[in-house]
Amino acid sequence: MKRRQTHSTQEILELLKAENQAMNHEMIQSKLDSQVNRATIYRVLNRFCEDGIVHKIVGDDGKQYFAFCLNCTQKTHNHNHFHFRCTQCGKVECLEKEASISLPEGYVLENFNGLISGTCNDCT
Amino acid sequence: MKRRQTHSTQEILELLKAENQAMNHEMIQSKLDSQVNRATIYRVLNRFCEDGIVHKIVGDDGKQYFAFCLNCTQKTHNHNHFHFRCTQCGKVECLEKEASISLPEGYVLENFNGLISGTCNDCT
DNA sequence: TTTTTAATGCGACATTGTTGCAATAATATA
DNA sequence: TATATTATTGCAACAATGTCGCATTAAAAA
């Protein structure tokens, strides 16, 4: 199944590239120039995730956030870094430091989801 | 406002103490002897959190999980440890190792939410 | 230009979690 | 013990998030 480029996919990808933060569907929808259906946004984002272009973080608010992959090559698609979510302004940004986690014997890692919330530098 | 002990609060607290894992409202509801309303369960759990008896983790499935505090004294109520959620059996357990995170200047930590999902030892 | 089929919009739905309000029951008071 | 106080509960309603089926639209291939 080959992917097609549409207005929606292009706009959403550009937005994610331009913004230096992870965004949930609502933030994305409100920042798009054209109106895109909610279901479509989710489908586009999930497709991006499947393709390894974008990664998904679940915030401690229970919402899904999406961010453009910066340091991921096609082979190593790792996101073992923390994200910081500001409870004041809502911004979700990547914290650079990689977290190295050693799991107990017999445990297999599928997904790393490290999130710290609090107040960011701008809102202190 | 003083807390009251009710059948619900006692049962839920006992359950959380007995089980060695974090549970969401559904798991709790199904394991209770008596039937307790969903809203009540949430209210009880959130009260426990306020009192520092229980801590809350948001899974990468977006659900809230609650676990009885083991190593928290009344003064230091820290949960800077990771949780592991098995995507097969649904179990959410604490990983012992504390994660030490250094935030950038001007950032204030309110909540640490570290979660790794995958398959646990039993399900491998 | 025509054909193929991936992507979209719409509506409906399941699920999670919260809240207002009247009824209940745990604790304090007499 | 009996009564008063008010924290807690159950119920219903609600908002929000995310998913899915299906008919329609529009990329890309032929």
Side-chain angles (χ1 to χ4, degrees):
Chain A
M1 192 200 279
K2 275 172 190 165
R3 295 278 132 95
R4 291 181 183 177
Q5 272 204 322
T6 67
H7 296 303
S8 303
T9 60
Q10 282 174 300
E11 258 198 270
I12 293 172
L13 190 57
E14 269 174 43
L15 177 61
L16 286 171
K17 275 184 187 169
E19 299 284 325
N20 195 21
Q21 56 165 303
M23 291 186 288
N24 60 31
H25 112 265
E26 195 199 1
M27 297 156 91
I28 293 171
Q29 195 169 36
S30 68
K31 287 217 172 191
L32 288 176
D33 292 332
S34 45
Q35 288 200 338
V36 184
N37 186 270
R38 196 170 83 251
T40 301
I41 294 179
Y42 279 114
R43 281 190 277 228
V44 168
L45 291 169
N46 286 326
R47 249 179 283 146
F48 285 163
C49 283
E50 282 174 33
D51 299 346
I53 303 169
V54 155
H55 62 269
K56 183 197 289 193
I57 322 114
V58 178
D60 58 348
D61 54 0
K63 295 179 189 170
Q64 300 180 351
Y65 288 84
F66 300 86
F68 183 69
C69 286
L70 283 176
N71 301 320
C72 297
T73 62
Q74 281 170 323
K75 294 202 175 176
T76 63
H77 181 62
N78 288 331
H79 310 299
N80 289 8
H81 57 272
F82 275 87
H83 292 256
F84 186 92
R85 180 178 141 262
C86 181
T87 51
Q88 304 292 314
C89 64
K91 191 170 64 180
V92 175
E93 49 189 327
C94 291
L95 299 180
E96 293 305 324
K97 220 175 61 178
E98 285 265 324
S100 64
I101 295 298
S102 57
L103 288 174
E105 271 293 301
Y107 284 67
V108 181
L109 185 145
E110 276 168 26
N111 186 24
F112 177 95
N113 201 79
L115 199 133
I116 296 165
S117 65
T119 40
C120 76
N121 195 23
D122 298 339
C123 300
T124 313
Chain B
M1 192 200 279
K2 274 173 192 165
R3 295 278 132 95
R4 291 180 183 179
Q5 272 204 322
T6 67
H7 296 303
S8 304
T9 60
Q10 283 174 300
E11 258 198 89
I12 293 173
L13 190 57
E14 271 174 42
L15 176 62
L16 286 171
K17 275 185 187 169
E19 299 283 326
N20 196 21
Q21 55 165 303
M23 290 186 288
N24 61 31
H25 113 265
E26 196 199 1
M27 298 156 90
I28 292 171
Q29 195 168 38
S30 67
K31 287 216 171 189
L32 287 176
D33 292 330
S34 45
Q35 290 200 337
V36 184
N37 186 270
R38 194 170 85 250
T40 302
I41 294 179
Y42 279 114
R43 280 191 277 227
V44 168
L45 291 169
N46 286 327
R47 247 179 285 146
F48 285 163
C49 284
E50 282 174 33
D51 298 348
I53 303 170
V54 156
H55 62 268
K56 182 196 289 190
I57 322 114
V58 177
D60 58 348
D61 54 1
K63 294 179 189 170
Q64 299 180 350
Y65 289 84
F66 299 86
F68 183 69
C69 287
L70 283 176
N71 301 319
C72 297
T73 62
Q74 282 170 322
K75 295 202 177 178
T76 64
H77 181 63
N78 289 330
H79 310 297
N80 290 7
H81 58 271
F82 275 88
H83 291 256
F84 186 92
R85 180 178 141 262
C86 181
T87 51
Q88 304 291 315
C89 65
K91 190 169 65 179
V92 176
E93 49 190 326
C94 291
L95 300 180
E96 293 304 325
K97 221 175 62 178
E98 285 264 325
S100 63
I101 295 298
S102 57
L103 288 175
E105 272 294 300
Y107 284 67
V108 181
L109 186 146
E110 276 168 27
N111 186 24
F112 177 94
N113 201 79
L115 199 133
I116 295 165
S117 65
T119 39
C120 75
N121 196 22
D122 298 339
C123 300
T124 314

